[in-house]
Structures are given as C-alpha cells and as structure tokens.
Amino acid sequence: MKIIRAKDYYDMSRKAANIISAQVIMKPNAVLGLATGGTPVGTYKQLIEWYNKGDIDFSSVTTINLDEYRGLPRDHEQSYWYFMHENFFNFVNVQEENIFVPDGANPDSEAACKAYDQVIHKAGGIDLQLLGIGTDGHIGFNEPGSAFELETHCVDLTDETIKSNQRFFGEGEEVPKQAYTMGIKTIMQARKVLMVANGEDKAEILKKAFEGPVTPAVQASILQMHPDFTLVADEAALSLLDL
Ligand code: F6R
C-alpha cells in the first residue's frame, strides 16, 4: 500500500482528485467506483473545477457507487443517488445512463444486489474505487465482522453508523436501518483502490486498519492485501501511524 500525506483537507482533496483525473486521462472510458459521505466532497469539488476549466472529460466514464440506503427512492433528499447528483453528477458531463447506484427503492434485496453485481461485471469491473472510512473501520456499508467474501448484499447498519449518518438527516427524521452495499470481495476486485481520510477522529482507525492485523473486525484492514491501494490522508488522520 502507498500512503500519501496531505497537509489538510483541501490538499487531500486535490491529491485525490489528481489521481482520479489521471485515471480518466489514461482511460477516458474508465469505470469509477464512487463513495458518498463527507470526506470525498472536496475531491468532487476539485474535479468539477477542473471539468469547468476543460481539463477533464467524463463523457465516456461509467460511475458505480458503493452503496445506497434500502427503502429510499432516488429522489429522496437523503438517498445516495441524490447526494451524488447534488455534489458531483449535476456539475459534470457523466452521461446519466452511465451512472449506477444500488436501487434502494427495490424491496427485494436479493434481486437488487444481484442486479448490481451484474452491472459491475457487465462494465468490466471497476478501474478505480474511491473510498472513505468509518470510525469503526467500515468501508462501503461493510460493518465490523462482515465476511470478506461477500459481493453486493443487504446489511443491517450498526448503531454507530446510524448515529454518525444522523447528521445528514433532518432533526427527528428517521435514518434507514438497512443498506445495499458492494461487499469486500467487490471492492477488492477493483483494479485500483483510493481511500481519502481526514481529521483526528480518523487517526485511531487508520492506525488499526493499516498498522494492525488484517481482520474482519476492522473491514478496511483487508486493503493491506490489495495490490494497488493508495491512502491519501491529512496530517491529523495520519498522526498515530508510525509510517
Ligand atoms: C459512503 C460510504 C461510507 C463512508 C464512511 C465515511 O458511500 O460507503 O463507508 O465512506 O462512512 O464517511 P465520512 O466520509 O462522512 O466520514
């Protein structure tokens, strides 16, 4: 694995956007695996800025998001479909038919997850998967203890994740308790994996995930075994690592 140290959130975002940008320049029809959450928003902002300058073209790119809440339709303001449009897709030229997010509105979990795996296989797999990391080490919605062998599946979210996601929902609004997520197997099959992390609240989990043992208890730790994994993190998030 490669660790790239960034000064701060802005620097982390620019470095991550540079790596994504290089991928799209090298392969204009790249398949990008994308993530929601607070961390990658700055990366998307930077990519939008470069798109506006004419430096990057997404017209042949396919995007396949990591996860979606089960029970939320696309047009729900808290759905990840909505989030991705608000933070990225509405501002660049990714073709709508090349955008994929698990179908949260499909109550048939098995069918929804199977269909999503087919989307990934049909696209020829993921060239570059962007990830954030939860404070308990989750990637996508793969919670501590999940089997590493899983492809897209339905998960019961932990209390910690539900609590942490509360900030994206209105006061008193209920946070969904289940989600469809790519599994660790799906993520590990991506040809490149790029994780972004910032802030001191991620320091402890980065230490555990990347300087501790590979264990399902810390889902992100499996990335130590990925042949092309890059972590771009700011100084606060890297503060506990020995490096
Ligand atoms: C997002 C996702 C999650 C987040 C993680 C970190 O699609 O799957 O695993 O990456 O919860 O979230 P932030 O970036 O908000 O700290």
Side-chain angles (χ1 to χ4, degrees):
M1 65 179 281
K2 193 176 281 170
I3 298 179
I4 298 178
R5 182 184 284 271
K7 284 196 287 289
D8 50 25
Y9 180 75
Y10 179 66
D11 189 30
M12 176 207 76
S13 302
R14 282 176 64 88
K15 285 181 160 63
N18 260 305
I19 294 169
I20 295 169
S21 184
Q23 172 69 64
V24 174
I25 291 166
M26 297 297 281
K27 186 176 176 190
N29 63 345
V31 179
L32 301 180
L34 298 180
T36 61
T39 318
V41 169
T43 305
Y44 296 141
K45 235 183 188 161
Q46 186 60 70
L47 289 171
I48 294 166
E49 204 178 305
W50 288 334
Y51 166 73
N52 285 333
K53 280 190 183 159
D55 289 342
I56 180 164
D57 172 22
F58 294 96
S59 60
S60 303
V61 163
T62 295
T63 67
I64 304 188
N65 261 77
L66 274 171
D67 43 16
E68 178 62 280
Y69 290 115
R70 177 170 187 252
L72 296 192
R74 285 176 169 186
D75 58 356
H76 190 289
E77 277 188 29
Q78 311 309 330
S79 78
Y80 283 179
W81 175 275
Y82 194 92
F83 177 98
M84 286 306 299
H85 281 76
E86 289 285 290
N87 285 287
F88 188 46
F89 299 144
N90 287 346
F91 306 100
V92 295
N93 63 341
V94 183
Q95 304 299 297
E96 202 60 34
E97 66 270 23
N98 293 337
I99 292 173
F100 297 95
V101 179
D103 183 5
N106 186 349
D108 182 341
S109 330
E110 213 171 297
C113 296
K114 205 166 161 201
Y116 208 60
D117 284 333
Q118 278 164 1
V119 163
I120 298 167
H121 294 144
K122 210 172 140 201
I126 292 165
D127 290 304
L128 186 156
Q129 176 65 57
L130 178 64
L131 296 177
I133 182 170
T135 49
D136 61 0
H138 71 245
I139 48 178
F141 269 127
N142 296 287
E143 301 286 12
S146 305
F148 283 153
E149 293 81 14
L150 290 170
E151 293 187 273
T152 306
H153 60 289
C154 180
V155 293
D156 295 328
L157 305 179
T158 61
D159 290 344
E160 186 169 354
T161 300
I162 295 169
K163 215 168 101 198
S164 150
N165 282 341
Q166 189 80 54
R167 67 192 192 277
F168 297 115
F169 286 73
E171 225 178 301
E173 206 179 344
E174 212 186 316
V175 184
K177 306 226 168 357
Q178 287 187 313
Y180 298 144
T181 184
M182 282 185 196
I184 295 297
K185 182 172 172 189
T186 332
I187 293 170
M188 288 299 280
Q189 281 170 347
R191 287 179 273 281
K192 273 180 199 296
V193 178
L194 169 65
M195 175 180 280
V196 282
N198 75 292
E200 57 183 323
D201 60 325
K202 296 288 167 72
E204 218 167 288
I205 194 62
L206 289 189
K207 168 96 183 156
K208 269 196 207 159
F210 304 123
E211 288 184 351
V214 174
T215 163
V218 182
Q219 294 277 296
S221 64
I222 189 72
L223 295 167
Q224 295 181 37
M225 318 284 283
H226 193 281
D228 190 349
F229 169 55
T230 304
L231 166 67
V232 181
D234 73 352
E235 280 172 12
L238 291 177
S239 58
L240 297 179
L241 273 80
D242 297 331
L243 294 174

